Amino acid sequence: MPPGVLHEQVSSALANWQLDLAETLLADVDGDAGLSVPPTAGAPLTSLARAWADTLRAELLVRRLRMAGFTLLGDPIDASATEEPLDLHDGVAELLEAAETPDDAPVAAVELGTRSESAAHAALAIALVRSARAAFDASDDDLQRAAGLARHARIELLSRRTDAAMDEAVEAASLLDPALPASPLLVHTLGALSGVLADLELMPLALDYQRRAHDTAVRLADDVPGAGSAALVGDTAARLAALCAEVGENLLDDARTDDARPYFAESRALADRALAELPVGDPRRVQAQVVHGWALVGLGECPAAVAPLRQAVALTSEDDRGLLASAELALGRALRRSGSLVGDTARVRSADDHLAHALALATEHGLPRLRRSALRELCTLHAELDDAARALPYLQAYLADELDRVDERRTRWVELFGRRKSLLETERAAGQLRRQAYEDPLTHLPNRRYAEARLDGLLAAGAAPALAVVDIDHFKSINDAAGHPGGDAVLRAVAQLLVDGVRDSDEVCRWAGDEFVVLLPDTTAEQGERAMERIRRSISGNDWSALGIDVPVTISVGIASAARGDDRRTLFAAADGVLYDAKRSGRDRVVRLSGVTQTRATEDPTAEVAPVYRLSPTFLEGELLPADTAPADDPESGDGPVSVTDVQPQTHAEESGPSDATRRPGRPTDVLFGDGPAAEPTPAADEQDDAPDEDGAGGFARLLVEPVPGAGGQREQRGRTVRPEPAPRRQETPQAEVRPPSTSPVVTRQPPATVGPDVIWGTGRSTEQVLALVRDARREFPDRAAVVVRASAETLVALASEHDAYTTMDAAAMAAAVGPLPEVRGRVAVLCASSGDTPVAAEAAFVAKVTGTEVTRVDDVGGSRMRPLLADSSLLTDVDCLVVVAGLDAALATVVAGMTEVPIVAVPTSTGQTSSFGGFGALLTVLNSASPGVVVSNIDNGYAAGVFAARIARRSIPR
């Protein structure tokens, strides 16, 4: 019995606690006279029809258990009760006895007068739930599964199992793909899930899913016009209107009248649409009429709401308990508030009976949200009548219900904490498995599997990385001389020297045996050649005797850069090919594939050697420097641009240092790496050997400079230690030291100071993406908050769930701050011209607050409504900065500037008439203002305005 007409009839009977009627309807499904049928009878478990029938039967039994005072698991509903839990083993025995009774002797309809009968119902309900869940899990239809899970979440809520209800709701939501086609079942499922979320006190999420249900119904009506589709639109509109009105009422209870008004306005519009779509005589019209009256009351039009609500109460059947309770509550609220407005005590007293009736219905039928609202209204009514004796019991009952809510929330947070802890433990175990799969156990470098996957990813993303294949020369001889432990020590030391010699963005991986690969993203073969040459020298010059190695340790390197169309195998084959060229040429050298021709660069014995210069400036490790930082008119700059003419490999043979008469043509990389002009000679060979080797790679130090360790000391980088190198010998400065053609002054770059919270924009990002960004920001900057702005309600709830006490949240601003907030200094006032500008004003106020200022917000001061500013001058004078948010009344910033000397940040908004061109008109208005002391933010950017105002305010107060 999937959702349909009969399903709706049974659901309505269950919701109104007409349990005998629901049992009669269910008995007609397959001819059963009772509910004592064993779960294995009838259709197989994979039948969805049987699963739905079992689900509804289980809910019927759970409601009977609720009336008897027990949960699905047999525990007393009242935790303070002294009654013992039910013995479910006795319940199973009762089921076995029921299976042996004649068919004309139903058992399930018996009154729950004994504990054994209640235990039988509990045992049967558990069996039915398991049977239905197994059938839903076996189905390939995700939408049917989601619908069943939403219904099972309702059963768990009836059983007071909030954690299980949350699990069912989360799983149902995960199955509701936004790409699912519009259908009545999808509308039904989204609405059911919204109801569950509302009972879980997750109103923002409930609103989102009910809004999605309404949008789906509208799309379905467009695709399949007809009376049925129109009625579905009306029904979803009425349900969404009720949720909007409830959110607005909660805001009114918190004295946030301006924030509540948009919700009531939307509720009224939706109720009007529901009344227009639902046919005359449809019982759902009464619900729309009740919600319409509720919205009028929220908007302050209480007298106009009384007559329609009286009519709704008269039309509501006594059997529809939930709707009758809502109608009585709305009518009582309208009478009380309209009487209070005009001082009519008789009308206020007349509301008492309606509110008391609503309270009785809500209490009897387990409607906690309606019960709390009725208690609050009754307490307020008798307080207004100065009847403290009658107001006190209602207040005590209301506080008791609120304490129960707090306890439930506390329990929910504890459960969420436990789940989050388990999830982190699972993630940690998964991370350990990933490390084992992608890490070389000897060197702790990424292994070949990781290197292949990483290289595939870079090439698939359209990057053009360079790949260096590194091989330790004569490694077998090293193993033979020092043994395998010595060979392992050499592998570890070479791995560390490779890691120390590359940038943070480069990755060193152990490929196999004595072979390594280095991935160099966004690097040409020429640049990679220089880097690897420097590393080659550091390895050949390392003191290997400390490891007990007496034979020389050197490496050979082959480098190639990816060309268009290359895959991983092609790129590795190119680099591996030039590696063998390096080995055939005598080893201990770096050979690259030409970056211009993508052919192997050959060694020309007649080629002239490039001059090598020593660089004195010190730069940050791993810092990428500009190619040429000398000014255009610098007399020491080169003779002009150098054309790409002659690309030759640099080999170890070039290190010997030719005579001063040696010359060579300009190299194409001179313009990138600052090598001298062709006419400059190389220093003498003995000077090169004795001088500190600050740029042994022939100029690559300007691109990537290695830090100079202390003499003879250990050097620690990224948690690893390299053996000490011999201290360089001190030499007198040569008489004729060759200077590079362009020498820039030493530039010390300091990291930027902490300047307030990091901002994460929720627009266009999923909840998971925002959570990941917040985690990264908190990990990188634990001493300051990460601010999320323009986030969805689901994202805000997820942030609160994950970070709990570290989260500062503002629902009106749709923003949250995760982490410690700075000490408050200075004051900022945010003036909002109209209700349409409220979201931007709320954002500016929230950001200014979490940036570390005291914030005062004044709404609805545009046009002729400036009396609060005129009456209280402190709003304009006793603050350090003003933020004026206005769209239609964009001239407000100019007006306020004429009333104060406080600096003003004007924020134009996109609200207003269509002729404002999305806020462009407001922007031009404030930009063309002649008033001094006004700066202008861009359209709708409350974040920037809040940060700017907070910085001004904080600087105005001495530390």
Side-chain angles (χ1 to χ4, degrees):
M1 189 182 59
V5 176
L6 183 57
H7 182 280
E8 291 298 329
Q9 291 175 350
V10 176
S11 297
S12 177
L14 290 173
N16 291 303
W17 295 86
Q18 298 171 349
L19 305 186
D20 292 338
L21 174 60
E23 186 169 346
T24 302
L25 292 170
L26 283 171
D28 295 337
V29 172
D30 54 2
D32 275 341
L35 290 177
S36 59
V37 180
T40 55
L45 290 181
T46 55
S47 168
L48 287 176
R50 181 72 184 184
W52 278 110
D54 287 348
T55 298
L56 293 176
R57 286 190 176 93
E59 183 174 343
L60 170 62
L61 292 172
V62 169
R63 288 181 181 271
R64 289 197 181 280
L65 286 167
R66 278 289 300 271
M67 295 181 69
F70 295 101
T71 67
L72 173 64
L73 299 181
D75 298 322
I77 291 177
D78 186 359
S80 62
T82 58
E83 192 168 7
E84 294 292 328
L86 296 175
D87 187 350
L88 297 185
H89 295 288
D90 289 344
V92 174
E94 289 287 335
L95 284 181
L96 294 176
E97 292 177 7
E100 299 173 357
T101 59
D103 292 340
D104 57 350
V107 177
V110 177
E111 292 290 332
L112 295 177
T114 64
R115 288 175 56 85
S116 60
E117 289 170 340
S118 297
H121 283 83
L124 180 56
I126 292 173
L128 289 171
V129 167
R130 290 177 177 173
S131 169
R133 182 62 190 269
F136 283 126
D137 288 343
S139 172
D140 294 331
D141 190 338
D142 285 347
L143 184 54
Q144 287 281 359
R145 288 180 60 200
L149 288 168
R151 194 76 192 202
H152 281 221
R154 171 64 58 194
I155 294 175
E156 299 293 357
L157 278 177
L158 288 169
S159 303
R160 298 289 182 90
R161 298 179 63 199
T162 306
D163 55 338
M166 183 77 78
D167 290 339
E168 303 279 9
V170 169
E171 188 173 354
S174 68
L175 295 171
L176 294 175
D177 193 328
L180 287 172
S183 66
L185 180 58
L186 178 58
V187 175
H188 166 86
T189 305
L190 289 168
L193 184 57
S194 173
V196 170
L197 293 171
D199 286 341
L200 287 170
E201 305 291 343
L202 301 175
M203 293 305 295
L205 289 176
L207 264 178
D208 285 348
Y209 277 94
Q210 188 58 52
R211 200 180 303 280
R212 185 176 163 190
H214 178 59
D215 294 341
T216 304
V218 171
R219 284 192 286 113
L220 183 63
D222 293 338
D223 297 340
V224 187
S229 298
L232 198 58
V233 172
D235 181 54
T236 56
R239 294 175 187 272
L240 180 57
L243 285 177
C244 288
E246 187 170 353
V247 172
E249 196 65 43
N250 291 335
L251 292 172
L252 277 183
D253 292 342
D254 294 337
R256 297 169 58 184
T257 306
D258 292 338
D259 295 336
R261 181 170 290 274
Y263 288 100
F264 283 119
E266 183 180 6
S267 175
R268 180 179 182 176
L270 288 166
D272 287 336
R273 177 161 191 179
L275 291 172
E277 298 286 354
L278 293 169
V280 177
D282 192 315
R284 291 172 292 186
R285 284 182 61 88
V286 179
Q287 180 187 5
Q289 193 170 343
V290 171
V291 176
H292 186 270
W294 188 2
L296 290 176
V297 174
L299 292 171
E301 303 176 22
C302 301
V306 171
L309 287 173
R310 287 188 187 278
Q311 183 183 10
V313 170
L315 292 174
T316 304
S317 170
E318 286 288 340
D319 294 334
D320 198 342
R321 313 293 174 80
L323 180 57
L324 182 58
S326 296
E328 290 279 24
L329 175 61
L331 178 57
R333 185 184 283 125
L335 290 171
R336 182 189 69 78
R337 295 185 185 178
S338 62
S340 298
L341 288 174
V342 299
D344 188 347
T345 306
R347 176 171 289 191
V348 174
R349 291 184 183 279
S350 67
D352 191 8
D353 292 338
H354 297 286
L355 294 174
H357 190 200
L359 175 61
L361 289 170
T363 303
E364 181 182 358
H365 297 291
L367 305 172
R369 286 149 49 207
L370 284 175
R371 171 182 161 83
R372 285 195 299 271
S373 297
L375 285 171
R376 187 182 181 99
E377 289 291 335
L378 283 165
C379 179
T380 305
L381 182 148
H382 292 293
E384 290 177 350
L385 295 174
D386 294 330
D387 190 351
R390 295 193 62 185
L392 183 59
Y394 293 124
L395 177 60
Q396 291 173 335
Y398 175 76
L399 293 177
D401 282 8
E402 285 295 312
L403 287 175
D404 288 343
R405 288 178 67 195
V406 172
D407 289 341
E408 287 180 5
R409 287 183 177 180
R410 185 180 296 112
T411 303
R412 198 172 305 156
W413 288 122
V414 171
E415 292 163 354
L416 288 174
F417 175 83
R419 291 181 199 170
R420 181 62 184 165
K421 179 174 176 290
S422 299
L423 180 60
L424 289 176
E425 290 173 350
T426 303
E427 290 177 350
R428 192 176 295 113
Q432 186 174 358
L433 291 175
R434 281 193 296 270
R435 283 194 299 275
Q436 292 175 356
Y438 289 112
E439 186 179 274
D440 173 53
L442 176 64
T443 62
H444 299 292
L445 292 177
N447 59 15
R448 176 172 180 169
R449 184 183 293 110
Y450 174 86
E452 291 177 341
R454 177 65 175 146
L455 195 55
D456 283 337
L458 288 172
L459 294 173
L467 177 67
V469 181
V470 181
D471 187 83
I472 301 177
D473 298 327
H474 303 296
F475 184 70
K476 185 177 185 303
S477 301
I478 297 173
N479 257 338
D480 293 342
H484 288 290
D488 291 346
V490 169
L491 287 172
R492 284 192 292 266
V494 168
Q496 184 62 58
L497 290 168
L498 287 170
V499 170
D500 292 341
V502 299
R503 299 169 297 184
D504 289 340
S505 58
D506 302 332
E507 295 180 270
V508 180
C509 307
R510 187 183 180 192
W511 190 256
D514 60 339
E515 206 167 51
F516 299 84
V517 295
V518 182
L519 307 180
L520 304 156
D522 301 319
T523 306
T524 65
E526 291 84 356
Q527 293 170 331
E529 177 190 17
R530 293 174 179 272
M532 298 311 300
E533 176 64 22
R534 180 170 57 82
I535 294 173
R536 183 196 65 77
R537 293 191 180 191
S538 70
I539 291 175
S540 64
N542 191 47
D543 181 14
W544 295 101
S545 62
L547 297 178
I549 306 298
D550 298 328
V551 297
V553 178
T554 59
I555 61 172
S556 298
V557 183
I559 303 174
S561 60
R564 181 176 301 176
D566 278 352
D567 59 11
R568 166 173 50 85
R569 293 177 180 84
T570 305
L571 181 58
F572 181 82
D576 198 44
V578 290
L579 168 65
Y580 281 96
D581 282 354
K583 286 184 171 293
R584 283 191 294 267
S585 300
R587 293 184 169 84
D588 191 18
R589 66 193 59 220
V590 178
V591 178
R592 63 171 170 80
L593 202 65
S594 171
V596 173
T597 64
Q598 277 297 308
T599 59
R600 192 167 295 117
T602 58
E603 294 188 31
D604 184 358
T606 64
E608 295 178 345
V609 182
V612 179
Y613 300 97
R614 297 191 301 274
L615 298 180
S616 56
T618 301
F619 299 90
L620 298 176
E621 177 198 2
E623 182 179 5
L624 290 176
L625 302 179
D628 187 4
T629 56
D633 56 351
D634 188 352
E636 295 185 358
S637 298
D639 296 334
V642 180
S643 60
V644 179
T645 57
D646 186 17
V647 180
Q648 298 294 340
Q650 177 181 336
T651 65
H652 185 52
E654 296 174 344
E655 300 170 17
S656 58
S659 65
D660 293 345
T662 303
R663 301 290 184 269
R664 69 163 181 85
R667 290 170 38 169
T669 54
D670 292 346
V671 70
L672 291 175
F673 304 114
D675 285 357
E680 291 288 347
T682 310
D686 57 344
E687 293 178 357
Q688 290 189 29
D689 293 338
D690 296 336
D693 188 8
E694 295 178 345
D695 189 15
F700 188 74
R702 292 195 62 193
L703 179 66
L704 182 60
V705 178
E706 179 181 7
V708 181
Q714 289 189 344
R715 177 177 53 194
E716 294 189 2
Q717 291 186 10
R718 303 181 205 156
R720 301 190 179 102
T721 303
V722 180
R723 291 293 182 180
E725 299 179 359
R729 290 174 296 177
R730 298 177 60 88
Q731 288 281 349
E732 294 291 331
T733 304
Q735 294 279 333
E737 182 178 357
V738 180
R739 297 182 58 196
S742 174
T743 303
S744 301
V746 177
V747 179
T748 302
R749 292 185 173 92
Q750 296 294 337
T754 300
V755 291
D758 288 347
V759 63
I760 298 167
W761 295 89
T763 307
R765 287 192 171 106
S766 66
T767 298
E768 291 74 16
Q769 290 172 328
V770 172
L771 290 175
L773 290 172
V774 170
R775 293 187 203 107
D776 292 343
R778 293 287 297 126
R779 185 163 48 248
E780 187 172 359
F781 302 108
D783 57 337
R784 67 191 196 198
V787 177
V788 181
V789 296
R790 304 188 188 181
S792 64
E794 182 180 359
T795 299
L796 295 179
V797 171
L799 284 171
S801 302
E802 181 168 326
H803 298 280
D804 195 7
Y806 294 97
T807 305
T808 304
M809 191 175 299
D810 189 330
M814 298 306 288
V818 180
L821 302 183
E823 179 185 358
V824 174
R825 293 206 313 272
R827 293 186 61 196
V828 172
V830 179
L831 308 182
C832 177
S834 64
S835 59
D837 307 317
T838 300
V840 180
E843 180 179 286
F846 178 79
V847 171
K849 174 184 174 183
V850 300
T851 308
T853 58
E854 179 185 351
V855 179
T856 302
R857 187 171 133 207
V858 184
D859 292 339
D860 206 20
V861 294
S864 60
R865 302 178 299 279
M866 294 185 60
R867 283 177 293 180
L869 301 180
L870 300 175
D872 186 2
S873 60
S874 64
L875 294 174
L876 302 180
T877 57
D878 293 348
V879 294
D880 303 300
C881 189
L882 283 165
V883 179
V884 180
V885 183
L888 187 61
D889 300 313
L892 178 62
T894 304
V895 176
V896 172
M899 302 167 60
T900 181
E901 294 182 353
V902 174
I904 295 173
V905 184
V907 187
T909 69
S910 56
T911 60
Q913 301 174 354
T914 56
S915 58
S916 65
F917 300 106
F920 191 67
L923 177 63
L924 290 178
T925 299
V926 293
L927 285 175
N928 291 326
S929 169
S931 299
V934 180
V935 297
V936 182
S937 171
N938 52 335
I939 299 171
D940 290 339
N941 196 344
Y943 167 77
V947 172
F948 187 81
R951 289 181 180 178
I952 291 177
R954 288 176 65 82
R955 291 178 68 89
S956 65
I957 303 298
R959 294 179 180 270

